[in-house]
Amino acid sequence: MRLLLVGYYGYRNWGDEGCLATLLQSLSPQSCTVLSGDPEFTHRTYGAWAVPRMAFRAVRQALREADGIVFGGGSLLQDATSMRSLLYYLTLIVAGLRARKPVWLVAQGMGPFRRPISRWWVRRVLNRLPEIRLRDEGSAHLLKQIGVQTPLRVDADLTWALSPRGTKSPPPTNKVIGLTPRAWKGWQVEPAFVALARALQHAGYQPLLIPMQESQDRPLCERIAQQSGAVVMAPPDHPATLLASLASLQAVVAMRLHGAIFALAQSVPTLCIAYDPKVNALAQQTQMPLIPSIDVEVLLSAWQAFAPQIPHLRETLPERTRPLRQKTLHMLEHLAQQIGLVYNTS
């Protein structure tokens, strides 16, 4: 059986790469074809065959050869990035259904859908599916709100089940604080993180800037480092390597969703910055403190309130995150069963 894996893969966004890595942990890489923005990188990193996601002839061929299509993780269906992105994924779902292939949406975050036409298209396409498995309750509520009647199951993000790779990190003794900033719509992200990095160093911490998306975040992190004296983490060779490296951190201040998930999965207390509803959903799931927006004063004040909570949060985090990992593992078991049923009847 051959599966076609669809997501925002190949762009070195370590959250989306982590979703792909988690899927390939459960599936045989040799039985999967991945739509990728960088097929060579994807094949080298995971051992799965990959085709360029925008080479439509190659995509059609991969679709014809597939026995099923898995849309794995991420916020694929949303129009905040662009209508083009939304229509790309909806078109692939429709193409799979027309080809009479089973289509599985797993660990999906939904929205936002800012345009009426977006909500109409999403409702029209998703109501043709037998089941949708989601990342959080907010996504389920949004789909119900726009009229999706397909049975919905709320699980958790795929990367909760990602296994760390590499040498086990030592216990956090040197007070390193991870920072995962991202540029966002006029927010004072750069000056706020510069100020935080300086304040951390003054308090005896070592700030470590972690680019969670290489193309967007690394230039921002390098500018913050130049102004503050903080260190920027080198690019990892695999998302599971990045996951393992976070275990030695004392705490994390995260704008990026998967910067927070990777840290929390390693029982590292995390101060979340809610630039998007998906971060709100994560903070609610894990009972982590949340900042609704940032400027210099807000971020410094939030850190001062957060720092005394770190020891207690570290003790209680395993109990908070264990149910999310279990949900993801059960979801992957369910997916494997569904794939097995298709394979056995084909």
Side-chain angles (χ1 to χ4, degrees):
M1 181 175 188
R2 186 141 209 93
L3 295 172
L4 181 63
L5 305 187
V6 180
Y8 189 68
Y9 307 140
Y11 293 99
R12 294 168 177 79
N13 179 315
W14 297 113
D16 291 294
E17 299 298 336
C19 291
L20 175 58
T22 306
L23 280 175
L24 292 173
Q25 260 179 201
S26 301
L27 307 170
S28 167
Q30 289 71 36
S31 68
C32 296
T33 299
V34 180
L35 299 189
S36 174
D38 186 341
E40 183 180 347
F41 164 79
T42 297
H43 178 66
R44 182 176 67 250
T45 304
Y46 308 106
W49 180 249
V51 299
R53 71 196 301 269
M54 300 307 292
F56 295 112
R57 186 172 296 177
V59 172
R60 285 196 297 269
Q61 181 65 27
L63 182 63
R64 282 195 295 268
E65 294 174 353
D67 298 294
I69 308 169
V70 179
F71 290 74
S75 300
L76 304 183
L77 300 185
Q78 46 80 24
D79 62 3
T81 302
S82 68
M83 277 296 293
R84 181 183 180 186
S85 173
L86 177 64
L87 291 174
Y88 175 84
Y89 293 113
L90 289 175
T91 298
L92 286 173
I93 294 173
V94 171
L97 293 171
R98 286 180 175 172
R100 299 184 182 275
K101 314 279 185 175
V103 176
W104 294 285
L105 268 63
V106 297
Q108 287 297 308
M110 293 288 168
F113 305 121
R114 297 174 176 172
R115 304 168 178 86
I117 189 63
S118 301
R119 296 189 285 273
W120 185 85
W121 273 113
V122 170
R123 178 173 64 248
R124 183 178 177 88
V125 172
L126 295 193
N127 275 333
R128 298 174 61 183
L129 296 174
E131 180 186 51
I132 302 169
R133 300 184 76 101
L134 300 166
R135 180 171 65 193
D136 53 67
E137 292 284 353
S139 294
H141 176 74
L142 177 58
L143 291 188
K144 291 174 183 176
Q145 190 177 50
I146 67 172
V148 174
Q149 298 177 350
T150 298
L152 307 175
R153 172 70 182 265
V154 177
D155 298 300
D157 192 88
L158 275 170
T159 57
W160 287 111
L162 181 61
S163 298
R165 172 187 290 185
T167 305
K168 185 174 177 60
S169 298
T173 56
N174 56 351
K175 299 178 72 173
V176 178
I177 306 297
L179 308 177
T180 69
R182 64 160 297 164
W184 189 250
K185 298 183 177 179
W187 283 17
Q188 297 179 31
V189 173
E190 187 172 324
F193 273 90
V194 168
L196 177 60
R198 289 172 175 168
L200 289 171
Q201 291 173 93
H202 184 73
Y205 294 100
Q206 172 61 60
L208 176 65
L209 291 152
I210 306 169
M212 290 300 297
Q213 180 161 357
E214 292 295 331
S215 62
Q216 295 182 17
D217 297 352
R218 187 162 294 278
L220 172 63
C221 287
E222 288 174 351
R223 292 196 303 272
I224 294 169
Q226 288 170 0
Q227 297 172 68
S228 67
V231 175
V232 182
M233 178 181 279
D237 60 358
H238 192 282
T241 306
L242 173 58
L243 176 66
S245 70
L246 298 192
S248 62
L249 301 181
Q250 187 84 3
V252 166
V253 179
M255 283 189 74
R256 286 285 186 185
L257 174 71
H258 285 96
I261 292 177
F262 279 30
L264 293 167
Q266 297 290 73
S267 297
V268 176
T270 301
L271 175 61
C272 301
I273 301 171
Y275 79 94
D276 185 278
K278 62 190 179 186
V279 182
N280 299 58
L282 175 67
Q284 185 176 13
Q285 285 175 326
T286 58
Q287 303 171 53
M288 284 293 104
L290 181 74
I291 313 173
S293 63
I294 60 169
D295 57 28
V296 172
E297 292 184 5
V298 167
L299 188 55
L300 291 177
S301 176
W303 169 258
Q304 290 169 1
F306 173 67
Q309 303 177 50
I310 291 173
H312 173 71
L313 291 174
R314 182 173 289 279
E315 291 178 3
T316 59
L317 258 174
E319 286 300 315
R320 301 187 196 192
T321 59
R322 188 174 293 113
L324 296 169
R325 176 175 169 78
Q326 289 302 316
K327 278 187 174 184
T328 302
L329 290 171
H330 291 154
M331 175 184 62
L332 291 168
E333 290 172 3
H334 175 78
L335 176 63
Q337 290 169 0
Q338 294 296 308
I339 291 169
L341 287 172
V342 171
Y343 178 77
N344 291 329
T345 57
S346 62

